Amino acid sequence: MTLGILGGGQLGWMLGIAARRLGIDCVFLDPAESCTADLIGDRIRADYDDPRALAELARRCDVVTYEFENVPANAAASLAETVPVRPGWTSLETSQDRLVEKTFLARNGVPVPAFRAVDDLPSLEAAVAGIGTPSILKTRHGGYDGKGQVVIRDPAESSDAIERIGGRPAILEAMVEFDLEASVLVVRGADGTTRSWPPIRNRHADGILRRSECPAPGVPAQAESAMIEHATRIADALDHVGVLTVEFFVTGDQVLANEIAPRVHNSGHLTIEFSETDQFENHVRAVTGRELGPTDARHGRAIMLNAIGDAPSTGILADASVAMVDAEGAATTRASPVVDAVYHDYRKNPRPGRKVGHLTIASDEIDATRSDALAAMVPGALVD
Ligand code: AMP
């Protein structure tokens, strides 16, 4: 069995590690000069819509999946002529366009912030009049980590906001005063079976995820079950096969869906240490038609800290008894064999704002002094 993966970043690498554990080889397609996924599989170096590269990928693989949702429509369509592409087209097209996504969620009974389509200045002015301020203008396509978004605090800022998003098709959304942000990962098998992991609390700065924690502190039980129920219903409605991530705003017991990702997700990295079966393995199991693994917790708690812009010093990590993950995902340490913290190095060149690794602490009890000390060692991470 060979699995094709569009995208060779860290998500591809961790999918490849899980696949290898199941005896499955991976072939990646990515145009970059060097990729984290090169650590674990072969790569076709070409653009995502290169017809010869897509034909080669289809020929070499039994099934194809992806690590990012902005897969060009023509690439997905040409692959799907000869090889199953999972998750399928409905999941991709729904998550590629914020207007289609929010409309789909609302139609399926999932609460979302108030939103309106915006095509030009008159439609933005009408939307601002309807929704009020503060509100957020977001491009329909291609935004991530807070890119392609402008906050409008006063109707007079409308024309400037249109300019700042380059006049592209957009939606205006009500600004939600949430208590916290959380994500739910659900995996749906080829036979329609679903399993989910508990909600994860996420903290961002400058639109970039910095810190995730599970079980999610401060999330009432009612909000927790509502999020799992919504995520499962969305996966069923999309006829999704693989991992689906749904990001929510939580205010008391109330939850509003912000966005969906038809793929494994940064917030789910902690499932590697925290869960019986992690997001990557269950995604590979689902897309290759295998039975899903149990998602029960192996520890009481887990915290994931993203290294952004620069990697932590390996010497300092080793002194703090942090294990390092090797190319094939095995955690090694020079300290005791029982470690509570593991650093996953993506072997990327550091650049401002770039995710270059993550550190997970998983244990039954996490001492705040320990987690704060580790967070202080990881550039870009948030101390609690
Ligand atoms: P997004 O790209 O839609 O995930 O947005 C990035 C981040 O911007 C979110 O994680 C929130 O912190 C914030 N954000 C996005 N939409 C809203 C909203 N409607 N109300 C308040 N904050 C928002």
Side-chain angles (χ1 to χ4, degrees):
M1 164 74 82
T2 304
L3 173 63
I5 302 183
L6 297 171
Q10 64 267 23
L11 298 178
W13 174 50
M14 291 183 271
L15 284 167
I17 290 169
R20 180 159 297 178
R21 225 169 27 231
L22 297 170
I24 299 167
D25 288 330
C26 288
V27 177
F28 298 89
L29 172 62
D30 193 304
E33 193 182 318
S34 83
C35 282
T36 307
D38 293 341
L39 295 166
I40 198 76
D42 278 358
R43 177 160 62 101
I44 303 165
R45 185 179 171 196
D47 287 329
Y48 295 115
D49 54 2
D50 179 326
R52 283 179 43 196
L54 290 166
E56 184 188 341
L57 189 70
R59 187 173 44 74
R60 292 176 64 180
C61 299
D62 301 288
V63 56
V64 171
T65 189
Y66 42 85
E67 62 150 22
F68 65 109
E69 55 272 41
N70 291 318
V71 173
N74 56 352
S78 87
L79 281 170
E81 281 173 18
T82 45
V83 66
V85 178
R86 292 175 175 156
W89 180 244
T90 314
S91 297
L92 269 176
E93 71 172 346
T94 307
S95 54
Q96 285 184 352
D97 181 333
R98 288 187 194 273
L99 180 61
V100 173
E101 176 181 64
K102 289 261 154 50
T103 308
F104 170 86
L105 293 171
R107 199 176 289 144
N108 282 282
V110 179
V112 292
F115 68 98
R116 300 260 181 109
V118 170
D119 294 309
D120 47 25
L121 184 57
S123 57
L124 176 58
E125 285 171 343
V128 170
I131 286 176
T133 52
S135 45
I136 305 191
L137 186 65
K138 301 180 176 181
T139 54
R140 282 174 59 174
H141 303 276
Y144 68 97
D145 284 351
K147 293 189 175 67
Q149 300 190 6
V150 181
V151 175
I152 300 181
R153 303 204 174 271
D154 187 287
E157 295 167 8
S158 297
S159 148
D160 182 49
I162 286 276
E163 221 167 273
R164 284 174 60 193
I165 62 157
R168 287 185 286 162
I171 63 168
L172 185 75
E173 254 180 51
M175 180 87 129
V176 179
E177 278 196 39
F178 51 77
D179 298 336
L180 57 94
E181 294 185 76
S183 53
V184 168
L185 281 77
V186 55
V187 58
R188 188 168 179 276
D191 62 356
T193 315
T194 57
R195 288 182 191 261
S196 58
W197 289 265
I200 297 163
R201 181 170 173 179
N202 299 319
R203 288 169 56 192
H204 303 80
D206 304 325
I208 304 175
L209 181 66
R210 307 280 165 161
R211 180 184 176 106
S212 294
E213 195 161 343
C214 193
V219 176
Q222 202 175 322
E224 231 182 83
S225 48
M227 288 191 281
I228 293 172
E229 201 242 312
H230 290 317
T232 307
R233 189 148 27 89
I234 297 165
D236 283 335
L238 291 168
D239 201 18
H240 191 86
V241 175
V243 167
L244 174 83
T245 307
V246 187
E247 293 183 47
F248 292 94
F249 301 136
V250 181
T251 315
D253 288 340
Q254 304 300 311
V255 301
L256 294 173
N258 175 34
E259 65 178 357
I260 64 174
R263 54 166 172 82
V264 289
H265 193 258
N266 191 168
S267 62
H269 292 358
L270 55 74
T271 61
I272 294 175
E273 288 81 12
F274 184 64
S275 310
E276 291 282 347
T277 313
D278 65 56
Q279 61 166 351
F280 302 101
E281 180 172 331
N282 260 345
H283 184 78
V284 173
R285 285 179 169 276
V287 300
T288 58
R290 286 165 168 73
E291 198 181 331
L292 304 178
T295 50
D296 309 67
R298 293 197 287 148
H299 301 280
R301 213 174 141 208
I303 299 172
M304 189 235 33
L305 304 157
N306 265 345
I308 297 167
D310 205 0
S313 137
T314 47
I316 289 176
L317 291 182
D319 289 345
S321 300
V322 175
M324 301 292 287
V325 157
D326 68 14
E328 303 204 344
T332 53
T333 172
R334 70 173 193 218
S336 81
V338 185
V339 285
D340 64 342
V342 181
Y343 183 67
H344 301 249
D345 182 357
Y346 306 157
R347 281 89 164 167
K348 285 185 182 172
N349 290 329
R351 198 195 305 140
R354 191 176 208 201
K355 293 170 185 167
V356 297
H358 75 269
L359 187 149
T360 304
I361 317 167
S363 170
D364 284 340
E365 297 283 332
I366 300 178
D367 175 56
T369 317
R370 169 96 172 132
S371 57
D372 285 351
L374 291 174
M377 290 172 199
V378 179
L382 285 178
V383 177
D384 198 14

